[in-house]
Amino acid sequence: MQDLQDELRAIVGADQVFVGADIDDRYKIDLTKKYASQPGYVVRPATAEQVSAVVKLAHATGTPVTPLSGRTGLVGGGVVTDGGIVLSLERMNRILDVDITSMTMTVEAGCILQTVQEAAEAQNAFLPLDLGARGSAMIGGVIATNAGGNRVVRWGMMRDMVIGLEVVLADGTIISSLTKMLKDNAGYNWKHLLIGSEGTLGIVTRAVLRLRPFPASSQTSIVAVNSFEDVITLLRQLESGLSGRLSSFELMWGNFYQCISEANLPRRPRPLPLGSPFYALVEAMGSNPADDAAQFEREMEKVMASGLVTNAVIATSERERQGLWAVREELEAGLATYFPFLSYDVSMALAEMPRFVDAATANLHRRYSNARIMFYGHAGDGNLHAIASIGETLTPDIRISIDSAIFEAVREVGGSIAAEHGIGQSRAAFLSWTRSPEELQLMRAIKAALDPRNILNPGKWPEIG
Ligand SMILES: Cc1cc2nc3c(=O)[nH]c(=O)nc-3n(C[C@H](O)[C@H](O)[C@H](O)COP(=O)(O)OP(=O)(O)OC[C@H]3O[C@@H](n4cnc5c(N)ncnc54)[C@H](O)[C@@H]3O)c2cc1C
């Protein structure tokens, strides 16, 4: 152990290796406080070459390595095996290049998402990825989890914004393909294998990201809708009526809207009265402020006149816009009323959402008659979150039972148990519920080929490696 410690210090510098009591709690316990471990070492490299040297050493000694970025992951993926190395990317936080001609930016993995968004904006460019954890999540983490967020309905997930990638493989090899080309069909696209692999196949060190023109205008509204059928019609109507400018369509079931808006009062006035089965937060972005606002209002009038929308409020300032988003993003006080709770991140075809919601609710109530459950999410992408509580302490057996209730419903509608947060530790036991034996075998073969000693984030997906 002393040898390993000395060698790590020789690679990254004595002041960037932490052991024993010097290891800060933030490297031991995850954000959800559900997962914890005792790392052997915390190492904070400053370059890809240092990452490579650390990984080579881990490979040679068979020591587990877990990469860690902004620590906002919600599934326990960033908690290392006891005694392993936490490899924190936080010092690799330089924006290397903003190229307005190619509309790309090249960044290190430890850059905070919001910092990258702001650096793009300073050049009148736009990185569309956006999520509630923007102030802490880092580029390496959002690539490793293929994060989604609030604007997938228009611009896709992180995968759709990564053009070039640099990773360190399990044997320490640095694969650097920091290209700025959108098109490259020369052989297997290995980048897409790495994106979303949650630190199990390689460590992201740098990336080239695709930028878009900065939208000069945005219009935001919360609308009330009477039925799920009307929700789908509304979504499709806005997609075409807003000429492709619809950038967010966040759906909230009535009880979620009530819970969150109630808890945020009086700090945040409630945008629309209670009592509707559904509320949708709708946002459009464009490049022509005067025309865009008029078009948005016209479309809103149309959907109100046809009865698709029963009530609506449109933000008239940035402050009001933030007030509307608060119902969807400032969840802490509302969720506290469900504590202790379990949260889910599942996906399915949009048309299957009502069947899923009914089945999940029925499955849960069959097991726990006093259970409470509410749904919300990025419905424009078929992605739903669920918050489930039975009003008592969640023992491991109860957790499995509630997980099973939800995932049985996911399986019934042919959905996925992990829409955007990933598998990590919390979904590991259920990977096979929505993946076939053949798919799992393929994943095992990929893991064995790229990480034969199983040192990269081992134990996270036990069925794979
Ligand atoms: C308030 C809040 C809102 C959120 N909203 C969304 C949302 O809308 N959409 C969404 O998709 N997620 C959301 N998340 C989840 C989370 O923010 C994302 O999963 C994010 O992508 C994680 O980034 P991170 O830098 O915090 O990664 P971490 O938590 O540090 O790590 C996450 C995983 O990636 C691995 N990893 C980290 N860095 C690297 C690297 N450089 N190379 C290889 N592997 C690495 C880790 O080992 C771990 O398995 C939300 C979380 C919070 C707290």
Side-chain angles (χ1 to χ4, degrees):
M1 268 177 69
Q2 187 60 44
D3 286 353
L4 187 56
Q5 194 177 315
D6 291 344
E7 288 187 63
L8 290 170
R9 290 199 157 125
I11 295 167
V12 297
D15 57 343
Q16 298 303 335
V17 177
F18 304 87
V19 296
D22 288 338
I23 296 179
D24 193 276
D25 275 355
R26 70 180 191 274
Y27 301 112
K28 298 180 188 169
I29 306 167
D30 84 327
L31 185 72
T32 68
K33 303 215 172 357
K34 277 191 225 147
Y35 301 97
S37 75
Q38 183 56 58
Y41 317 84
V42 171
V43 180
R44 305 197 311 176
T47 63
E49 289 69 30
Q50 289 184 0
V51 174
S52 161
V54 170
V55 173
K56 255 184 206 147
L57 192 57
H59 190 255
T61 54
T63 313
V65 180
T66 293
L68 191 62
S69 288
R71 300 176 51 252
T72 68
L74 297 172
V75 291
V79 175
V80 74
T81 315
D82 281 336
I85 299 172
V86 173
L87 193 148
S88 169
L89 280 300
E90 67 202 293
R91 290 175 68 221
M92 296 177 58
N93 58 6
R94 287 178 306 157
I95 292 172
L96 302 169
D97 170 44
V98 183
D99 179 346
I100 293 306
T101 313
S102 306
M103 286 303 270
T104 60
M105 69 195 291
T106 308
V107 299
E108 289 186 327
C111 286
I112 290 176
L113 174 60
Q114 189 170 346
T115 309
V116 174
Q117 289 173 330
E118 287 168 1
E121 189 178 336
Q123 304 279 340
N124 209 22
F126 184 57
L127 178 72
L129 187 85
D130 193 40
L131 36 94
R134 64 183 77 76
S136 305
M138 294 173 183
I139 292 300
V142 295
I143 291 176
T145 57
N146 185 27
N150 302 331
R151 297 179 184 141
V152 175
V153 71
R154 179 156 171 200
W155 284 287
M157 298 181 76
M158 193 56 191
R159 181 183 300 292
D160 301 295
M161 296 168 212
V162 177
I163 301 178
L165 199 61
E166 179 181 85
V167 296
V168 173
L169 296 181
D171 64 357
T173 305
I174 301 175
I175 306 257
S176 196
S177 175
L178 294 171
T179 69
K180 296 181 176 180
M181 302 174 292
L182 271 183
K183 289 183 157 179
D184 184 1
N185 280 349
Y188 298 132
N189 196 329
W190 59 267
K191 289 170 206 164
H192 285 288
L193 197 53
L194 270 292
I195 298 168
S197 65
E198 298 181 48
T200 64
L201 295 181
I203 297 177
V204 176
T205 48
R206 285 191 285 180
V208 180
L209 308 176
R210 180 179 186 182
L211 299 178
R212 308 288 180 143
F214 189 78
S217 83
S218 73
Q219 297 80 42
T220 311
S221 173
I222 286 192
V223 301
V225 188
N226 260 341
S227 70
F228 196 84
E229 219 181 354
D230 285 353
V231 168
I232 300 185
T233 312
L234 175 67
L235 169 65
R236 300 305 171 216
Q237 207 156 307
L238 291 178
E239 277 177 328
S240 59
L242 292 169
S243 321
R245 294 195 306 109
L246 181 71
S247 48
S248 299
F249 190 88
E250 299 289 309
L251 189 61
M252 298 167 269
W253 267 246
N255 63 343
F256 173 87
Y257 178 80
Q258 175 167 5
C259 169
I260 303 301
S261 61
E262 200 122 291
N264 289 348
L265 290 172
R267 200 171 47 87
R268 298 281 193 189
R270 181 178 278 141
L272 287 178
L274 301 178
S276 182
F278 300 98
Y279 296 84
L281 191 152
V282 172
E283 189 162 85
M285 292 180 148
S287 53
N288 194 336
D291 292 355
D292 293 346
Q295 183 196 43
F296 192 80
E297 277 164 33
R298 249 189 344 264
E299 286 308 309
M300 282 298 153
E301 276 163 20
K302 264 193 224 162
V303 293
M304 293 265 310
S306 67
L308 262 187
V309 161
T310 55
N311 205 349
V313 58
I314 300 179
T316 57
S317 66
E318 178 56 25
R319 205 169 137 263
E320 282 184 20
R321 175 181 175 266
Q322 284 172 15
L324 299 191
W325 271 104
V327 186
R328 175 58 185 81
E329 286 200 329
E330 289 179 18
L331 307 185
E332 210 172 326
L335 295 191
T337 64
Y338 267 61
F339 191 81
F341 63 83
L342 291 177
S343 66
Y344 297 91
D345 161 49
V346 298
S347 61
M348 66 225 50
L350 191 58
E352 294 289 7
M353 262 185 198
R355 200 156 70 92
F356 162 74
V357 166
D358 289 349
T361 307
N363 290 349
L364 190 62
H365 283 142
R366 237 188 336 269
R367 287 166 165 91
Y368 305 98
S369 56
N370 57 340
R372 289 190 298 156
I373 186 161
M374 57 184 182
F375 298 92
Y376 66 105
H378 315 294
D381 335 321
N383 179 183
L384 267 196
H385 299 312
I387 302 290
S389 168
I390 59 165
E392 57 183 88
T393 307
L394 299 166
T395 62
D397 283 350
I398 293 177
R399 280 171 193 274
I400 291 174
S401 164
I402 299 177
D403 286 353
S404 303
I406 306 299
F407 295 145
E408 270 166 30
V410 170
R411 192 163 53 183
E412 207 176 305
V413 300
S416 166
I417 60 161
E420 54 178 15
H421 296 163
I423 295 296
Q425 298 188 57
S426 69
R427 305 292 176 244
F430 295 93
L431 188 53
S432 62
W433 281 41
T434 57
R435 290 289 191 190
S436 68
E438 294 77 17
E439 284 177 294
L440 293 177
Q441 188 48 40
L442 178 60
M443 290 189 206
R444 262 178 233 121
I446 291 167
K447 174 72 173 169
L450 289 188
D451 182 16
R453 298 203 65 185
N454 194 19
I455 60 155
L456 288 181
N457 221 355
K460 293 303 180 305
W461 305 357
E463 287 185 87
I464 306 303

